[in-house]
Amino acid sequence: MPPITRTLALTAAMALAVAALPGCRGKQDDAASDKADRSAAADDTGGSAKGDFGPPQGQPVDAVLTQPPQVPPATGRKAPAKVIVKLDVIEKEMPISEGVTYTFWTFGGTVPGSFIRVRQGDTVEFHLRNMPDSKMPHNIDLHGVTGPGGGAASSFTAPGHSSRFTFKALNAGLYVYHCATAPVGMHVANGMYGLILVEPPEGLPAVDKEFYVMQGDFYTTGKYREKGHQPFDMEKAIEEHPTYVLFNGSEGALTGDKALSAKTGETVRLYVGNGGPNLVSSFHVIGEIFDKVWYEGGTKFQENVQTTLIPAGGAAMMEFHMEVPGSYVLVDHSIFRAFNKGALAILKADGEERKAIYSGKEVDYVYLGDRAQPNMQAVATAAAAATTGALTVDEQVKAGKALFAGTCATCHQPEGQGLEGVFPPLAASDYIKADPKRVASVILHGLQGPVKVNGKDYNSLMPPMSQLNDDEVANIATYVLNSWSNPGGKVSKEEAAQVRKSKPANASEGH
Ligand SMILES: [Cu+2]
């Protein structure tokens, strides 16, 4: 028999055997069915039909809500309880990147919203309060709710009002919640999402560290990192062309001194959600392998996973044991999002080196980009000064230095010394000296073809860096001009904007 036919025949035989069971139960059949029941129980929780453990017992308890990246402690409960959740909707302006602000709509004042943790079988009394100074009505749809709209229909809340509804958490799992007020996409794009964990009755295995991370895509009228206040861009949102893709609602939310931290020898569990509104996340941690992934936030785990897919409006839990100290970079492996839209966070592990496991060096600027710097404060300071017209060369140089590390140093090296025969030096470059204006042009339009720098010939290609905004080009160019014995000078944001519109410089010009 060919394999497929044999499988079919077997399946048919099994179906017959199962169908025969209830009718004639001999001793042997009993044993067989017991075994079948037990193995079925092992890989089937019974879902919502088995999730009602009766009425709540004891006094009502207030849910512990935490701000990201914190996760509330395990409930530790062994019986169903009545749990009160009080969540406030707050519309507020917050940074989305250094020197860039955005009007977020939030659950609990943060993006993502407060983390909620309950136990399967709990009765949740949900209070949603919309702050009086809000401009919009809001509601909440919790994916962990069994019932039409997931709570949305019962929770429509005008500014200055509050609403209340109750649900029983029948299914264990990690669930997204979000606002579902029209236009739904806009409310979600403005940051209205978070996670609710419904623990299985026996709880989750204990780990050393738990973190709450949530991805979201954002749409601003200005370019990526264009400074100042940036309004929401509905057109870009509909086209699904995000300006930012972020973990925890702002660039740098989880880098520098806000990086997640752990120690070697510890087991880390991440609760990762994806608020969308549009993108699916290819979630990956550079330098780690997930020992376990509870894919889609469900009950079963897969082991030894590199990258896990998290749908918009979905979540996953993952666990790994930390062996080697250093920086681990959380990314959406749709990789332009990590390096050009902000989807990058850092988990820093402290501990003893373990050369037998990993002999290499710490992850460098190739992966960390400009996040290798402890922070990008200098960039924000420069941008703020630029808007008031008080920007000094010194501020530009500081900002440019931070940006250079993540954008140019890969090729031209951290001190601008270049790499002989491959990347020309920027330090004491006679090419720059011959015409300092060329720096901004080379940055924006790239350079190709033969070029002689300090007596050495190069014939290669520098890709245009037109993704940088005018501020960034001005600051990097000013930094280069004022470093390593170059002639000095200053490039303004306006000049950078002009160069962007002008035609590229020819590499061989002037030589
Ligand atoms: Cu809303």
Side-chain angles (χ1 to χ4, degrees):
M1 232 191 270
I4 294 212
T5 327
R6 190 163 52 212
T7 316
L8 281 174
L10 254 175
T11 315
M14 276 161 66
L16 271 175
V18 170
L21 268 177
C24 56
R25 290 197 120 185
K27 254 199 157 115
Q28 262 188 337
D29 290 340
D30 268 352
S33 86
D34 272 6
K35 204 172 156 200
D37 279 356
R38 257 181 285 123
S39 79
D43 43 75
D44 179 357
T45 62
S48 57
K50 295 234 173 106
D52 188 349
F53 310 142
Q57 298 172 28
Q59 290 297 308
V61 289
D62 286 319
V64 178
L65 303 185
T66 56
Q67 300 199 332
Q70 256 58 260
V71 176
T75 67
R77 286 194 291 274
K78 295 277 169 279
K82 177 169 179 179
V83 182
I84 317 274
V85 175
K86 287 184 177 152
L87 198 54
D88 289 344
V89 173
I90 305 165
E91 299 174 1
K92 65 196 273 208
E93 197 177 299
M94 292 192 286
I96 190 166
S97 180
E98 285 84 359
V100 191
T101 56
Y102 186 81
T103 305
F104 292 93
W105 300 345
T106 73
F107 286 111
T110 55
V111 176
S114 308
F115 195 109
I116 307 166
R117 187 169 189 156
V118 301
R119 179 179 175 270
Q120 188 183 11
D122 281 348
T123 296
V124 181
E125 186 182 288
F126 207 101
H127 298 249
L128 190 71
R129 185 165 66 146
N130 191 358
M131 293 290 109
D133 57 354
S134 290
K135 305 239 173 357
M136 297 286 152
H138 300 284
N139 65 8
I140 193 164
D141 166 355
L142 298 118
H143 292 179
V145 168
T146 304
S154 332
S155 60
F156 180 87
T157 314
H161 288 70
S162 63
S163 56
R164 190 178 100 180
F165 64 99
T166 301
F167 67 93
K168 192 166 272 191
L170 295 178
N171 295 75
L174 181 62
Y175 297 97
V176 167
Y177 66 77
H178 63 89
C179 182
T181 305
V184 177
M186 182 180 180
H187 284 250
V188 173
N190 283 344
M192 298 199 78
Y193 44 74
L195 291 180
I196 176 168
L197 172 66
V198 182
E199 293 176 348
E202 68 284 5
L204 290 167
V207 288
D208 300 301
K209 292 270 161 67
E210 294 187 311
F211 297 113
Y212 170 24
V213 178
M214 202 155 175
Q215 183 171 323
D217 28 300
F218 295 87
Y219 304 81
T220 64
T221 51
K223 242 174 135 65
Y224 173 60
R225 289 187 177 171
E226 196 166 308
K227 306 300 175 192
H229 185 77
Q230 291 295 331
F232 169 68
D233 189 325
M234 188 65 161
E235 206 121 299
K236 276 193 192 169
I238 293 169
E239 303 276 303
E240 305 188 16
H241 284 154
T243 328
Y244 292 88
V245 181
L246 301 171
F247 294 124
N248 291 6
S250 104
E251 240 197 319
L254 298 171
T255 63
D257 51 13
K258 290 193 227 133
L260 305 174
S261 93
K263 294 193 194 68
T264 54
E266 288 185 330
T267 299
V268 173
R269 181 184 295 140
L270 301 180
Y271 297 88
V272 184
N274 184 7
N278 289 318
L279 301 186
V280 165
S281 175
S282 300
F283 188 77
H284 176 79
V285 178
I286 299 172
E288 261 301 342
I289 295 148
F290 303 134
D291 296 330
K292 288 179 184 163
V293 175
W294 282 265
Y295 46 95
E296 295 168 5
T299 301
K300 296 197 178 117
F301 60 79
Q302 165 69 294
E303 292 182 271
N304 308 317
V305 174
Q306 59 194 305
T307 300
T308 193
L309 208 55
I310 310 180
M317 291 177 271
M318 51 222 82
E319 249 176 52
F320 45 91
H321 186 254
M322 313 264 6
E323 269 79 24
V324 181
S327 293
Y328 294 84
V329 190
L330 285 58
V331 295
D332 179 335
H333 216 296
S334 291
I335 209 75
F336 270 104
R337 299 174 188 172
F339 297 111
N340 299 81
K341 294 185 173 181
L344 187 152
I346 292 166
L347 167 64
K348 187 109 177 97
D350 291 320
E352 294 284 312
E353 293 269 17
R354 292 182 68 188
K355 297 278 186 200
I357 291 176
Y358 185 66
S359 71
K361 56 177 183 174
E362 165 70 315
V363 55
D364 61 6
Y365 47 71
V366 174
Y367 270 143
L368 295 174
D370 46 30
R371 297 286 147 197
Q373 297 286 324
N375 69 62
M376 300 282 283
Q377 189 54 48
V379 177
T381 308
T387 56
T388 63
L391 182 62
T392 65
V393 169
D394 190 46
E395 282 167 333
Q396 279 197 278
V397 165
K398 282 201 183 113
K401 185 175 182 177
L403 294 162
F404 183 91
T407 339
C408 320
T410 322
C411 297
H412 293 289
Q413 304 301 298
E415 293 305 319
Q417 71 271 34
L419 210 59
E420 213 181 306
V422 192
F423 305 119
L426 303 182
S429 155
D430 59 0
Y431 182 88
I432 294 175
K433 198 172 168 201
D435 181 4
K437 290 229 177 311
R438 287 199 286 216
V439 178
S441 175
V442 171
I443 296 174
L444 280 164
H445 302 294
L447 196 65
Q448 54 182 313
V451 59
K452 199 179 212 116
V453 184
N454 297 350
K456 299 231 161 63
D457 288 312
Y458 296 86
N459 188 355
S460 182
L461 173 112
M462 170 172 153
M465 310 258 156
S466 52
Q467 81 280 5
L468 298 168
N469 64 39
D470 298 336
D471 266 318
E472 292 170 325
V473 172
N475 294 339
I476 295 174
T478 304
Y479 167 64
V480 169
L481 289 174
N482 289 280
S483 304
W484 320 303
S485 319
N486 282 333
K490 172 182 167 71
V491 176
S492 72
K493 178 181 179 175
E494 292 70 27
E495 283 167 317
Q498 280 235 296
V499 172
R500 192 186 295 274
K501 284 186 226 138
S502 68
K503 76 169 185 57
N506 186 329
S508 43
E509 247 170 48
H511 282 270

